[in-house]
Amino acid sequence: MAKKEKDPRVGIVGGQAVLEGVMMKSGERCSLAVRTEEGIVIDNTKETSLRKKYKICNIPIIRGCVSFVEQLFSAMKMLTKSADMQGIDLDEPETKFEKWLNEKLGDKLMAVVGGIGMILGIVLAMGLFLLLPTYTAKGIDWLAGGFISQYSILFSLIEGLIRIAIFVAYVWLVSFMPDIRKTYEYHGAEHKSVDCFEKGLPLTPENAKTCTRFHPRCGTSFIFVVLIISIIVNSFFEIDNTAIRFASKLITIPLIVGVGFEFIKYAGGHNNILTKILSAPGLWMQRITTREPDEAQLEVALTALKNAIPEEFGGIDEPNYDPETKKMVKKSAETTEPEDTASEDAE
């Protein structure tokens, strides 16, 4: 039996929902499209991954960690840029302390503030998704008379299920916020646009509207795969000391993230019973993290998509947004070979 050739469209583009818009990335081509009062504003840039610069960063497992970190920084940058493109003033009147910081750090101020914000976010996430599940599982074990802690697999399973429940509850609760709900709609528009492209349909809002808003390479699916893998990995650690158990989880995070990346990469191009089972929770979760978009939102997502994909797939290069003049300026993003963007869809 002849080996089925891989569709050249599948897996070369991924995206992210932002404030009133969508970012799409294919290879080094990155396009951010945002809906403003004046219409759709576009920002085309070139982003070269460390995976292309250094061979060691493209080794299986390691490449997953590299991509994950790059996506965290990219997501923060794109959210900030989307706010700027809408003319949203995120700054309040400067205090004396802020003026001092601005004098000392100058152009580096936003980078420092953004870095501090990311560190605080990571600390909060660790407390919420690592420490809280562990202490909650220990509380349940205490109520059960210590029975659960006798079996590391059972304790890890309960701990993992608590972690998943916290994640689901968090995502569901924030979905009631109007701004988040709209972002989820743009998330749906991003998925539908990618599905429209991968099916080879003309890239129009009418066609994209008929496509699915559920995608196996979504960041939501990636998180669920990571949570499932963490349950399996942590079941091998028979550790009672909470501090040591917490440290062991931190140490295994790169391995878990790397394995999760490889699975999502594999699942994106294969459709078998294993990928269906492990992908199912993430796809179910997308019923919360994505919403049905309207045609205006699909138009934004398709604009970003067309600017991100190579010309041979119908890509275009529209005028760029200049934050200094607040006008559209022609600034082409250099055409490069597309790479597999299996995990480039960020929430």
Side-chain angles (χ1 to χ4, degrees):
M1 182 182 292
K3 185 178 179 180
K4 185 178 178 181
E5 293 186 8
K6 180 181 177 181
D7 189 330
R9 291 173 175 266
V10 175
I12 72 164
V13 63
Q16 168 197 343
V18 296
L19 299 174
E20 291 290 347
V22 171
M23 181 277 288
M24 292 284 190
K25 189 172 187 294
S26 179
E28 296 179 350
R29 296 167 60 107
C30 184
S31 178
L32 175 64
V34 173
R35 173 76 67 181
T36 70
E37 293 180 356
E38 298 178 354
I40 300 176
V41 179
I42 304 151
D43 181 75
N44 294 321
T45 55
K46 176 183 176 182
E47 292 187 357
T48 304
S49 172
L50 292 176
R51 292 169 55 193
K52 273 198 169 184
K53 292 181 179 180
Y54 308 102
K55 289 184 178 179
I56 191 173
C57 292
N58 205 34
I59 296 175
I61 305 299
I62 294 178
R63 63 188 176 188
C65 299
V66 172
S67 292
F68 179 70
V69 173
E70 287 182 334
Q71 287 308 305
L72 284 178
F73 281 98
S74 177
M76 182 178 67
K77 182 173 71 175
M78 291 299 163
L79 284 169
T80 302
K81 189 179 287 188
S82 65
D84 179 66
M85 291 166 70
Q86 291 178 73
I88 298 175
D89 187 4
L90 299 177
D91 299 321
E92 295 181 354
E94 283 189 330
T95 63
K96 290 183 178 180
F97 177 66
E98 289 171 334
K99 288 180 179 179
W100 179 83
L101 284 176
N102 197 34
E103 290 175 0
K104 295 295 182 182
L105 299 175
D107 295 338
K108 297 179 181 179
L109 177 60
M110 288 308 298
V112 172
V113 172
I116 294 173
M118 179 173 286
I119 292 172
L120 291 176
I122 292 174
V123 171
L124 177 62
M126 286 182 177
L128 194 61
F129 296 107
L130 291 181
L131 287 177
L132 181 58
T134 298
Y135 280 109
T136 304
K138 281 185 172 291
I140 295 174
D141 178 52
W142 179 77
L143 292 174
F147 171 78
I148 298 173
S149 58
Q150 296 178 27
Y151 306 93
S152 60
I153 294 178
L154 180 59
F155 187 88
S156 180
L157 176 62
I158 292 175
E159 188 180 30
L161 291 176
I162 293 171
R163 187 174 295 114
I164 291 174
I166 292 173
F167 172 68
V168 173
Y170 171 80
V171 173
W172 177 70
L173 287 172
V174 300
S175 70
F176 290 99
M177 300 171 62
D179 289 341
I180 297 297
R181 185 179 182 86
K182 183 169 284 188
T183 302
Y184 285 174
E185 290 171 357
Y186 274 107
H187 190 195
E190 178 237 317
H191 282 190
K192 282 175 172 281
S193 298
V194 172
D195 189 53
C196 183
F197 168 72
E198 293 184 343
K199 287 179 177 177
L201 300 173
L203 300 177
T204 65
E206 294 77 18
N207 287 330
K209 193 173 184 179
T210 65
C211 296
T212 181
R213 74 176 201 263
F214 309 118
H215 204 285
R217 293 195 308 275
C218 175
T220 307
S221 296
F222 173 73
I223 292 173
F224 255 97
V225 169
V226 165
L227 290 173
I228 292 171
I229 294 173
S230 69
I231 294 175
I232 298 172
V233 172
N234 291 327
S235 66
F236 290 98
F237 294 95
E238 297 185 14
I239 303 171
D240 292 328
N241 186 286
T242 302
I244 297 177
R245 187 174 182 84
F246 177 71
S248 69
K249 289 175 184 174
L250 290 180
I251 293 172
T252 57
I253 284 177
L255 172 64
I256 294 170
V257 169
V259 173
F261 175 88
E262 297 303 325
F263 173 78
I264 291 295
K265 184 178 174 67
Y266 174 82
H270 298 80
N271 188 23
N272 53 50
I273 187 65
L274 175 63
T275 59
K276 285 181 178 179
I277 292 174
L278 292 179
S279 298
L283 292 173
W284 295 337
M285 192 64 186
Q286 288 177 41
R287 295 185 180 278
I288 300 177
T289 62
T290 65
R291 299 283 184 176
E292 283 296 330
D294 57 30
E295 291 197 4
Q297 291 167 326
L298 287 168
E299 184 184 8
V300 172
L302 289 169
T303 299
L305 177 66
K306 291 174 185 177
N307 276 268
I309 59 177
E311 281 77 3
E312 59 263 35
F313 292 115
I316 57 176
D317 186 18
E318 296 189 3
N320 235 45
Y321 173 74
D322 185 351
E324 297 296 328
T325 63
K326 306 295 182 182
K327 295 180 180 180
M328 304 300 288
V329 179
K330 188 70 176 177
K331 186 177 71 174
S332 299
E334 186 176 326
T335 303
T336 58
E337 286 294 319
E339 64 183 19
D340 193 333
T341 55
S343 72
E344 291 194 346
D345 182 6
E347 297 296 313

